[in-house]
Amino acid sequence: MSRFEMGNLFTGELVHLGAAKADDKQAFARWSNDAEYLRQLNFDPAMPRAADHWDEKKDKDKKEEDNREYKFGIRTLADDKLIGLTGLWVTWNHQVAWFWIGIGEPEYRGHGYGTDTTRLIVNYAFRELGLYRVQLGVFGYNTRAQRVYEKVGFVKEGVQRAALYRDGQRHDLIGMGILRPEWETQYATALQNAEPALELR
């Protein structure tokens, strides 16, 4: 029986996806002081936050999510260390989700953890949620993330030119997406070739 048939949704080669824990907010507060992390993650101005900010945000999120947001902590397999966050925001009537990811711990960036996480989330979107499309926006200066997404199967679909203004320069916002048939083809091939790092989990 393949690992796909066994249904292992949350464990990759380097990370596993899990629920938030009570003490995670201390890490969130520390990451909010990392401008590089914040500027890769979203459009909002970088802003340090205290740990109790996430207590208030959690209550607000519970009221607003309405079965549309699927959020996970990214934890290392080696020592269960929380290194980032990831998730999907689903529009159910169109079977589409926006994907996002942030690796908060600097020493884990650029070492395959983001790729492993992205692959897990894409598999989850299609296998567990039954979606047809996963999409994302990535800033033009974030070339490392673009390579990760392409490796997992995302296709560049369009560019919003000069959509972001930072440090006196304008940057593009690049739209990327992956469709269910593309995902099915890619991972069926990987299973046939017995490439463990790409197997459906």
Side-chain angles (χ1 to χ4, degrees), residues 44-68:
D44 297 338
M47 180 70 182
R49 303 283 188 181
D52 60 4
H53 166 79
W54 279 272
D55 291 331
E56 300 169 5
K57 188 175 186 306
K58 185 177 180 181
D59 293 337
K60 182 180 178 182
D61 287 348
K62 280 183 179 179
K63 296 175 183 176
E64 294 181 351
E65 63 184 6
D66 192 28
N67 199 32
R68 295 180 64 188

Side-chain angles (χ1 to χ4, degrees), residues 70-153:
Y70 294 80
K71 189 185 302 182
F72 301 92
I74 305 168
R75 298 183 181 276
T76 61
L77 285 183
D79 54 9
D80 198 42
K81 179 177 180 177
L82 179 72
I83 62 170
L85 294 169
T86 188
L88 297 163
W89 181 261
V90 180
T91 304
W92 286 110
N93 54 319
H94 300 300
Q95 296 178 284
V96 171
W98 281 96
F99 163 68
W100 59 270
I101 181 174
I103 302 295
E105 298 295 337
E107 65 269 28
Y108 290 89
R109 298 171 192 159
H111 297 288
Y113 294 90
T115 302
D116 200 34
T117 300
T118 301
R119 188 170 288 124
L120 283 172
I121 285 290
V122 168
N123 290 346
Y124 180 81
F126 292 124
R127 291 180 57 204
E128 188 68 6
L129 301 184
L131 300 180
Y132 188 81
R133 171 182 169 85
V134 179
Q135 61 195 25
L136 59 88
V138 59
F139 303 139
Y141 56 73
N142 194 351
T143 55
R144 182 170 62 196
Q146 292 172 49
R147 289 193 296 270
V148 167
Y149 303 143
E150 289 171 351
K151 188 184 299 184
V152 176

